[in-house]
Amino acid sequence: MTSIDEIFQKSGLPSKRKLDPVRDPTEIYKSAKRSSTTSRHARVDDQDDTTAEAGPLPPPADDEEAAYGPSAPANDDAASEDAGDDDEGRFFGGGITRTEREVLDLIDSAETSSSNLPAAAGDEETIDEAWLRKTALAFEKKIARNAEQRARHAHEPARFIDSEADLDAAIKALSLLAERPALYPLFARLGCAGSLAGLLAHENADIALDAVEIVGELTDEDVAAEEADWSALVDALLEADLLGLLVGHLGRLREDEDEADREGVYRALGVVENLCSKRETAEVVGAEEGLLRWLLARAARAERPVGQNKQYAAEILAILVQNSAKNRRKLAELDAVDSILQLVAPYRRRDPEKGGDEEEYMENLFEALTSIVDEPEGKAKFVEAEGVELCLIMLKEGKLSKPAALRLLDHAAGGPAGTGVCQKIVETGGLKTTFTMFMKKPDHRAAEHLVGIFASMLRLLPAESPERIRTLAKFVEKDYEKTERLLKLRREYAARMAAVDEQIKQEQRDMDDEEREEMADEWFSRRLDAGLFCLQTIDVILAWLVAEDDGARKKIQALLADRDESFAMIRETIQEQIDGMDAETAEAKETKEMLTTLAQFLQ
């Protein structure tokens, strides 16, 4: 029996799966005359070939459009244009349906109006509530008719192919709605959003692909929708189990076999990305375990070279965890840390092709890991999966992966839950690796991560523990050369900060209090760019050394005196940190207490 996909592709109607160029209508007509098997009229058993070629016959009674609602009013132009068409006016010589022609007429009329009126005004006359109600009614009727025809002629695909084509055109007609996102709430209230989502499970893959494409267009960030309008549509889609349907839709696509399926995966991932544009909806996406597992599996799929969809799956994972602690914990629970570490492991000695999809793929994987290990659950999984050891190997042998591995290690070691990571760094010989990099005068970005790791170890490693003693010994060995290097780095950042602070002071002279308040955030951002955070971290390390070791205290004091500097300069930086803290959380209170204690050692 001829399959529905074959008939759908041979019907002469546009199809996402038909990648060949559009043929000339005359050629289609001639082809239909030569092959009766491609003509829908060949289904009438009691007609000979001559009758089939002479013109269309009336369709069976159960296919009549009149049984499912009134037809659009006829006009003289339409009548003349439809001359010679079949009873449903399906083929107009151009291979398009009546619905598609009406959509094109709407576009043409809007373009004509825009030549005499502002674009917004012209559009409002065409795409308004009346248009949406009419379009929505037609859309629901096409869905109902197709479902009925499929049920009635389940074993005869040729009997319901016409309703399939009509439904395909009705879905595409919804793309015009993106021009008027203010209509989204009405679209949702009419139930069309749920109906559109439901089409992702349609038996015809082309219908499902078109539904995904339209959902992507309506939720795209380029659509100028108000937050309330966008949320009304998205909430309705999610309520209709859009995410579960997406997982099922992705599961039946065969990227290796069909280019249209490959594009369908890309469009489905685009829908997920659109949903992640708000943290609240991103967390709804993150709660869909089936989707998370699919993304992890797709990112792990063996491909050489790395394809666009594999890279996109890794990007979605990174987006999901960037702004949501809930999603980070969920992925940690699914052992995503171990899975992603296995994916980045090949880059410890091999570099991806620069500027290609693979480089972006690697960066997205590291970005996802870096976000996940910010959570206590992620840190525990990182140690368990030997992530510390992998990062240290990359610091010694990697090239493009080295900066990302260093940043990952810094994030994993930070925070109150980073004690296990800090201990593992010392146990696996990480002190030698990190301090060797530090002494080789790394760039400013690498230096910031290195001092971040040192500060975390001094704060978190237990007092009198072997790991802490070994860390302090590194700053003492070879006549305090690491401590001296730390002070030199401090002076570099202090000089940069002084230049920015002087520039800010000059700008403040000509401003009143209100203007200064408006500029406060921008000035703070400029100070951060100049290295404020790194300068503060260095001073915390110096304060720890002063508090922990008398020899280090004397060395630091002597090095400062060479430039007529003193502990007061370090204490001032630490006090600035204390003053800028909002000690509402337990972690913030603990940090504030620690800094206050360290400042006392700088008297």
Side-chain angles (χ1 to χ4, degrees), residues 194-351:
S195 298
L196 180 60
L199 291 175
L200 269 66
H202 197 279
E203 294 88 340
N204 187 336
D206 290 281
I207 298 293
L209 289 170
D210 279 345
V212 171
E213 182 176 357
I214 294 302
V215 171
E217 289 182 10
L218 297 181
T219 58
D220 193 270
E221 62 178 5
D222 292 334
V223 175
E226 297 292 336
E227 183 175 341
D229 296 333
W230 186 88
S231 296
L233 172 63
V234 170
D235 290 346
L237 290 169
L238 293 175
E239 187 176 346
D241 194 26
L242 173 66
L243 295 174
L245 292 168
L246 265 179
V247 174
H249 173 70
L250 288 167
R252 67 174 177 166
L253 297 179
R254 299 291 178 264
E255 297 180 67
D256 293 336
E257 302 171 9
D258 197 312
E259 178 63 31
D261 280 6
R262 189 176 302 113
E263 181 183 352
V265 171
Y266 183 84
R267 292 189 183 280
L269 291 174
V271 170
V272 177
E273 183 182 9
N274 294 346
L275 297 177
C276 292
S277 60
K278 285 180 59 179
R279 185 177 60 83
E280 293 79 6
T281 51
E283 291 183 347
V284 175
V285 173
E288 186 66 36
E289 187 172 315
L291 180 59
L292 296 183
R293 292 189 183 278
W294 187 93
L295 289 169
L296 289 168
R298 186 62 187 87
R301 183 175 174 178
E303 287 182 3
R304 291 297 297 271
V306 170
Q308 191 176 29
N309 286 343
K310 181 173 181 175
Q311 181 274 321
Y312 205 177
E315 183 178 347
I316 296 299
L317 287 170
I319 292 171
L320 277 169
V321 297
Q322 278 178 348
N323 299 316
S324 172
K326 186 176 180 180
N327 287 349
R328 294 194 284 268
R329 292 192 293 268
K330 181 64 176 180
L331 278 167
E333 178 187 325
L334 296 177
D335 286 330
V337 173
D338 183 44
S339 300
I340 301 176
L341 282 171
Q342 292 183 40
L343 298 181
V344 300
Y347 301 113
R348 63 187 183 275
R349 294 186 179 91
R350 178 180 71 82
D351 283 346

Side-chain angles (χ1 to χ4, degrees), residues 249-518:
H249 173 70
L250 288 167
R252 67 174 177 166
L253 297 179
R254 299 291 178 264
E255 297 180 67
D256 293 336
E257 302 171 9
D258 197 312
E259 178 63 31
D261 280 6
R262 189 176 302 113
E263 181 183 352
V265 171
Y266 183 84
R267 292 189 183 280
L269 291 174
V271 170
V272 177
E273 183 182 9
N274 294 346
L275 297 177
C276 292
S277 60
K278 285 180 59 179
R279 185 177 60 83
E280 293 79 6
T281 51
E283 291 183 347
V284 175
V285 173
E288 186 66 36
E289 187 172 315
L291 180 59
L292 296 183
R293 292 189 183 278
W294 187 93
L295 289 169
L296 289 168
R298 186 62 187 87
R301 183 175 174 178
E303 287 182 3
R304 291 297 297 271
V306 170
Q308 191 176 29
N309 286 343
K310 181 173 181 175
Q311 181 274 321
Y312 205 177
E315 183 178 347
I316 296 299
L317 287 170
I319 292 171
L320 277 169
V321 297
Q322 278 178 348
N323 299 316
S324 172
K326 186 176 180 180
N327 287 349
R328 294 194 284 268
R329 292 192 293 268
K330 181 64 176 180
L331 278 167
E333 178 187 325
L334 296 177
D335 286 330
V337 173
D338 183 44
S339 300
I340 301 176
L341 282 171
Q342 292 183 40
L343 298 181
V344 300
Y347 301 113
R348 63 187 183 275
R349 294 186 179 91
R350 178 180 71 82
D351 283 346
E353 181 181 352
K354 207 162 188 180
D357 283 337
E358 188 174 7
E359 182 180 12
E360 190 172 354
Y361 168 74
M362 183 193 77
E363 292 172 353
N364 284 321
L365 291 176
F366 272 110
E367 185 66 37
L369 278 172
T370 301
S371 295
I372 296 173
V373 299
D374 280 335
E375 300 301 318
E377 297 86 347
K379 296 179 192 295
K381 293 289 186 180
F382 184 70
V383 173
E384 181 183 327
E386 300 183 350
V388 173
E389 292 88 335
L390 178 60
C391 286
L392 292 175
I393 291 174
M394 289 180 169
L395 294 185
K396 290 187 289 187
E397 303 177 8
K399 294 179 182 178
L400 285 179
S401 63
K402 183 181 294 187
L406 181 60
R407 178 171 177 256
L408 172 58
L409 198 61
D410 181 18
H411 278 253
T419 304
V421 177
C422 293
Q423 290 175 327
K424 183 63 71 172
I425 291 174
V426 179
E427 291 172 5
T428 54
L431 289 176
K432 180 179 179 181
T433 302
T434 53
F435 277 96
T436 298
M437 287 183 65
F438 182 65
M439 294 303 293
K440 288 183 177 179
K441 298 182 179 181
D443 59 47
H444 288 294
R445 184 62 60 85
E448 290 176 6
H449 292 308
L450 286 167
V451 298
I453 293 170
F454 299 154
S456 295
M457 289 193 291
L458 289 173
R459 175 180 179 178
L460 298 174
L461 291 174
E464 306 302 327
S465 67
E467 293 85 4
R468 186 176 189 82
I469 293 171
R470 289 174 61 184
T471 301
L472 289 169
K474 276 294 180 181
F475 288 100
V476 173
E477 67 181 12
K478 297 183 181 179
D479 195 23
Y480 298 95
E481 65 173 4
K482 277 81 173 180
T483 303
E484 186 173 354
R485 170 78 182 107
L486 195 63
L487 275 167
K488 288 182 180 178
L489 186 63
R490 186 201 187 280
R491 290 187 176 117
E492 292 178 16
Y493 279 98
R496 294 170 59 182
M497 285 296 303
V500 171
D501 286 342
E502 180 60 30
Q503 185 179 19
I504 292 174
K505 286 180 181 179
Q506 292 179 1
E507 294 175 5
Q508 289 176 336
R509 290 172 186 169
D510 300 327
M511 294 183 179
D512 56 30
D513 292 340
E514 184 177 349
E515 290 174 325
R516 290 178 183 178
E517 186 176 349
E518 291 176 354

